[in-house]
Amino acid sequence: GAVVSQHPSRVICKSGTSVKIECRSLDFQATTMFWYRQFPKQSLMLMATSNEGSKATYEQGVEKDKFLINHASLTLSTLTVTSAHPEDSSFYICSARVGENQPQHFGDGTRLSIL
Amino acid sequence: GQNIDQPTEMTATEGAIVQINCTYQTSGFNGLFWYQQHAGEAPTFLSYNVLDGLEEKGRFSSFLSRSKGYSYLLLKELQMKDSASYLCAVLDSNYQLIWGAGTKLIIKP
């Protein structure tokens, strides 16, 4: 149980393109979903927390107009990287949890490369 | 401030036992998680401790002492596939997960 699907797994695109990443909880309803970014050999960095039906809470330093998050249902959250540039190239990972004291279960991640 | 400390890197031998320590100072405590992350992959959930004591799950065990702000992950009968980073994370009073930087475990034959 507790499977989280993230799609696509890899994206390579030109600078200026907007990229949409989907995160789905397949066998449970996720009250909260999280978006992380991880640069090579560095720690996970939380970008934002989203609850179904409400606006995402962004961490300090994360531009909400650049990283658009939509949590339309209890099983789906999307992250759109708008007008991506090479410095946005990173490993983006979503996670979902059922309740506050439940573990976060992670998707497989999306490797984004902006040329 | 909130702080989680764990060693940056550890090396162990295949078939042996290794203990990865984690100490924490957080605003409140609602549980401690251990995750495994292989290079280039997303983390996978290993264990959750909210009460003091040892939780055993196969070759992996996790221990918690809330009074000491201390946990460890014990890996027995090490296999080469256990080479990975092990992340300690604490759920604070706001149910926000505070992540440690991770311990890179290198297993040698």
Side-chain angles (χ1 to χ4, degrees), chain A residues 57-106:
Chain A
T57 303
Y58 289 82
E59 296 298 302
Q60 194 171 6
V62 178
E63 300 174 58
K64 61 182 179 182
D65 293 331
K66 179 161 186 71
F67 299 99
L68 301 178
I69 292 171
N70 184 281
H71 194 157
S73 75
L74 283 171
T75 60
L76 173 65
S77 177
T78 60
L79 167 68
T80 301
V81 184
T82 60
S83 187
H85 292 287
E87 59 266 29
D88 298 322
S89 298
S90 188
F91 189 43
Y92 292 85
I93 318 171
C94 75
S95 70
R97 70 179 185 194
V98 173
E100 288 181 322
N101 62 346
Q102 297 299 310
Q104 292 182 26
H105 296 281
F106 287 84

Side-chain angles (χ1 to χ4, degrees), chain A residues 34 36 38 41-44 46 59 91 93 97 100-109 111, chain B residues 30 33 35 37 39-45 48 87 91 94-97 99-102 104:
Chain A
F34 305 85
Y36 293 85
Q38 188 173 35
K41 298 185 179 180
Q42 293 191 20
S43 306
L44 282 173
L46 180 65
E59 296 298 302
F91 189 43
I93 318 171
R97 70 179 185 194
E100 288 181 322
N101 62 346
Q102 297 299 310
Q104 292 182 26
H105 296 281
F106 287 84
D108 288 337
R111 197 161 301 283
Chain B
N30 279 302
F33 297 89
Y35 285 83
Q37 186 177 23
E41 298 181 10
T44 55
F45 167 69
Y48 171 62
L87 311 175
L91 208 54
N94 293 321
Y95 292 94
Q96 181 178 356
L97 202 57
W99 291 90
K104 182 179 180 180

Side-chain angles (χ1 to χ4, degrees), chain B residues 30-107:
Chain B
N30 279 302
L32 184 145
F33 297 89
W34 283 97
Y35 285 83
Q36 180 191 60
Q37 186 177 23
H38 284 101
E41 298 181 10
T44 55
F45 167 69
L46 289 178
S47 66
Y48 171 62
N49 295 68
V50 67
L51 299 176
D52 289 350
L54 187 69
E55 296 273 346
E56 296 186 73
K57 197 185 287 187
R59 293 189 299 114
F60 292 7
S61 302
S62 57
F63 171 84
L64 175 68
S65 168
R66 288 172 296 172
S67 62
K68 295 181 179 177
Y70 167 69
S71 172
Y72 67 72
L73 181 69
L74 190 71
L75 292 76
K76 303 176 185 175
E77 301 168 19
L78 286 170
Q79 302 175 9
M80 297 304 292
K81 67 178 182 179
D82 297 329
S83 292
S85 286
Y86 291 86
L87 311 175
C88 172
V90 173
L91 208 54
D92 71 8
S93 57
N94 293 321
Y95 292 94
Q96 181 178 356
L97 202 57
I98 311 301
W99 291 90
T103 299
K104 182 179 180 180
L105 178 63
I106 300 168
I107 310 296

